[in-house]
Amino acid sequence: MDMSRRTVIAGAAATGIAAAGMGSAHATGGRKPVKSLFGKLADGTKVYSWALENGGTRLKVLSYGGIVQSLEVPDRRGRYANVSLGFDNIEDYVAKSPYFGALIGRYGNRIGKGRFTLDGKAHQLSVNDGENSLHGGAQGFDKRVWDIEPFTKGSDVGLYLYYTSVDGEMGYPGTLKTKVTYTLTRHGDWRIDYEATTDKATVVNLTSHVYWNLAGESSGTIYDHELSIAASRYTPVDSGLIPTGELARVWGTPFDFRRTKTVGEDIRVPHQQLLYGKGIDHNWVLDKGLTARPEHIATLRDPSSGRTLKIATTEPGLQFYSGNFLDGTLVGTGGTVYRQGDGLCLETQHFPDSPNKPSFPSTVLRPGQTYRTTTVHSFSA
Ligand code: BGC
C-alpha cells in the first residue's frame, strides 16, 4: 500500500494536480489526445503512446495491441493511481505480456483444439494454449500494430483504432476489417465500441484484457476487492478450460457473485472448477443476455481507496480471470514483481468455444453484416 501511495503522489505532483482534498473524483475537463514515441519493434516499426484525459480519468494507449498501458483514476481523496497492470517498455510487451491491457481478437478466449466448422467447411486455427487456441492464436490482435486516429467530439475525447486482418490470418476465414473506438467521456467513463466487417463468413469475439487493481498496480493482490456480477449461471469447463456446454447455476457455488463478496472469499474452496482454473477463470452467463444497449453487469470496488469500477455491456458473457497465472516472473510498470492475484480481468464477450457450441449465442459474422458491441467502464470513488 505504501508503495502505491508514493507512486500516486509523485505522479500527481509531476502533473501539477493537487494530490489531496480534491473532493470530487471528476474535476478535470477533456484534452486533445497527445501522441509520443513509446518504443520500437525489432523491425524498426515505431510504437506510439497516446495520452488522453477527460472527466478525471487519464488513459495511455499504445498503437501496439491497442494496449491500455496506464489508466489512472482518483481515490476518495482525489489521489491518483494507475489501476491497470502493464509494463513501462515495449520490449516486455512483445516478449512476455500475458495480454496486459490488450485488445483481443479475432476470438477472445478459447476455441477447443483450435478447430471449428462453418457452413460445412473445417478450419484449423493457430494453437497456442496446449491443444487449444487462445485469444486469436499465436499472433492475435494484441500483437498487431493498429492505426490510430484521435478525435474530440462534443465533450468526448477518444481514439479510433483500425486493424485489417487478412483472409486466413491465424487460420480464420475472411478479411476482417476492425475498428475499435476508445472514448473518454466528460464523466470519466472509458467506453469501448467494437466494429468489424468481413468478406467471408467467419467468427468474431473481440474483447479487452485490462488487469484491474483498483488499489493501484504494484500494491498487492485483489483478494480484498468486492465484486458483484449479475449472473445466475456460468459455463463450467474441462481441465483445458473449454466449456462443457452446460450453463450451471451459481447458487451454492464459489461462483455466486449475485450478492457482493470479496474476490478472495471463496477462492480457496476445493471446488473442481477452481482446481481446473487455479482460481477463477470462468465465463459468467449474464442474466440480461445479449442486449442492443450496454447494461450494467458488474461492480468492482476496492474498499481501501474507495475506487469503484462499474461495467456495462451489450455482450452476453463475462470472463472473470483472477490473475492465476501471474507467477512472480514479470516486473510491472511500478517496478515491482507481479504475483498471483495482483490483478483481475473482467472480459466482456461471447462465451468461450461458441463456434463449437451450437447452443451458445452465435459468434458468426457474415458478409454484409456489421459486428457491433459496446462496453462501458465507469469510475467513481
Ligand atoms: C484467460 C486465462 C489466460 C489469460 C492469459 C484470460 O483471458 O481466461 O485462462 O491465462 O487470459 O493471460
Side-chain angles (χ1 to χ4, degrees):
M1 278 314 301
D2 281 337
M3 192 72 193
S4 84
R5 254 178 92 151
R6 253 185 285 130
T7 315
V8 171
I9 291 168
T15 50
I17 297 210
M22 261 178 68
S24 162
H26 297 152
T28 56
R31 285 191 206 149
K32 228 177 129 208
V34 178
K35 182 184 181 183
S36 59
L37 187 66
F38 186 71
K40 282 186 190 170
L41 301 181
D43 69 358
T45 305
K46 289 179 176 164
V47 172
Y48 294 99
S49 167
W50 286 88
L52 287 74
E53 182 166 351
N54 204 2
T57 301
R58 303 170 185 160
L59 182 63
K60 283 190 184 150
V61 175
L62 304 183
S63 51
Y64 180 82
I67 286 170
V68 169
Q69 190 260 332
S70 158
L71 195 153
E72 293 182 46
V73 286
D75 69 5
R76 60 164 80 82
R77 293 171 62 188
R79 293 175 302 196
Y80 276 79
N82 174 13
V83 295
S84 82
L85 274 55
F87 296 119
D88 64 0
N89 66 88
I90 189 62
E91 291 77 17
D92 283 352
Y93 277 112
V94 173
K96 44 189 162 188
S97 181
Y99 305 93
F100 284 152
L103 280 176
I104 306 294
R106 292 186 188 191
Y107 197 97
N109 219 310
R110 291 178 174 78
I111 296 182
K113 299 195 169 63
R115 272 188 225 145
F116 69 98
T117 300
L118 182 57
D119 298 338
K121 199 170 172 233
H123 298 278
Q124 178 63 57
L125 305 172
S126 156
V127 163
N128 59 335
D129 183 62
E131 58 176 9
N132 302 321
S133 186
L134 174 66
H135 296 332
Q139 296 283 316
F141 288 8
D142 59 294
K143 295 178 186 66
R144 306 286 173 175
V145 176
W146 293 65
D147 285 331
I148 297 190
E149 259 176 41
F151 68 84
T152 53
K153 227 192 307 176
S155 56
D156 292 343
V157 298
L159 303 173
Y160 299 121
L161 298 95
Y162 300 93
Y163 176 66
T164 297
S165 173
V166 297
D167 188 10
E169 193 175 281
M170 297 294 111
Y172 287 92
T175 296
L176 191 80
K177 290 189 176 167
T178 313
K179 176 183 178 186
V180 178
T181 308
Y182 285 167
T183 304
L184 279 191
T185 71
R186 69 191 167 94
H187 303 294
D189 294 352
W190 172 42
R191 176 184 170 115
I192 314 176
D193 293 283
Y194 303 87
E195 282 172 58
T197 55
T198 184
D199 61 358
K200 281 184 194 164
T202 190
V203 295
V204 194
N205 192 27
L206 306 178
T207 191
S208 162
H209 210 285
V210 171
Y211 286 67
W212 302 102
N213 186 326
L214 297 179
E217 65 84 35
S218 287
S219 71
T221 71
I222 43 68
Y223 298 130
D224 288 340
H225 281 38
E226 299 160 352
L227 179 65
S228 63
I229 303 174
S232 309
R233 292 176 187 266
Y234 75 109
T235 51
V237 290
D238 65 18
S239 59
L241 303 184
I242 298 295
T244 59
E246 189 195 351
L247 306 183
R249 286 180 202 280
V250 296
W251 186 86
T253 76
F255 300 93
D256 194 350
F257 282 86
R258 289 172 300 171
R259 248 182 274 148
T260 304
K261 67 178 178 186
T262 63
V263 170
E265 187 169 322
D266 290 332
I267 209 162
R268 290 174 200 275
V269 170
H271 187 287
Q272 182 61 59
Q273 287 294 314
L274 293 181
L275 291 166
Y276 283 154
K278 294 196 162 53
I280 299 168
D281 194 358
H282 292 79
N283 169 66
W284 268 254
V285 178
L286 300 171
D287 287 340
K288 71 168 188 75
L290 180 70
T291 45
R293 292 180 173 277
E295 292 184 16
H296 175 75
I297 52 123
T299 301
L300 181 69
R301 179 172 176 273
D302 164 43
S304 67
S305 64
R307 290 191 193 92
T308 303
L309 163 65
K310 289 190 173 166
I311 300 182
T313 188
T314 56
E315 289 282 56
L318 177 75
Q319 181 82 10
F320 166 21
Y321 166 58
S322 56
N324 316 324
F325 300 112
L326 296 172
D327 62 358
T329 56
L330 303 176
V331 179
T333 326
T336 66
V337 169
Y338 289 146
R339 295 168 58 89
Q340 190 176 49
D342 280 1
L344 65 85
C345 301
L346 295 169
E347 306 155 53
T348 53
Q349 57 172 14
H350 273 54
F351 308 166
D353 203 33
S354 296
N356 295 307
K357 299 282 188 308
S359 60
F360 287 179
S362 172
T363 50
V364 174
L365 182 72
R366 296 186 180 279
Q369 299 178 328
T370 302
Y371 170 95
R372 273 199 190 94
T373 75
T374 298
T375 294
V376 185
H377 304 85
S378 305
F379 303 95
S380 57

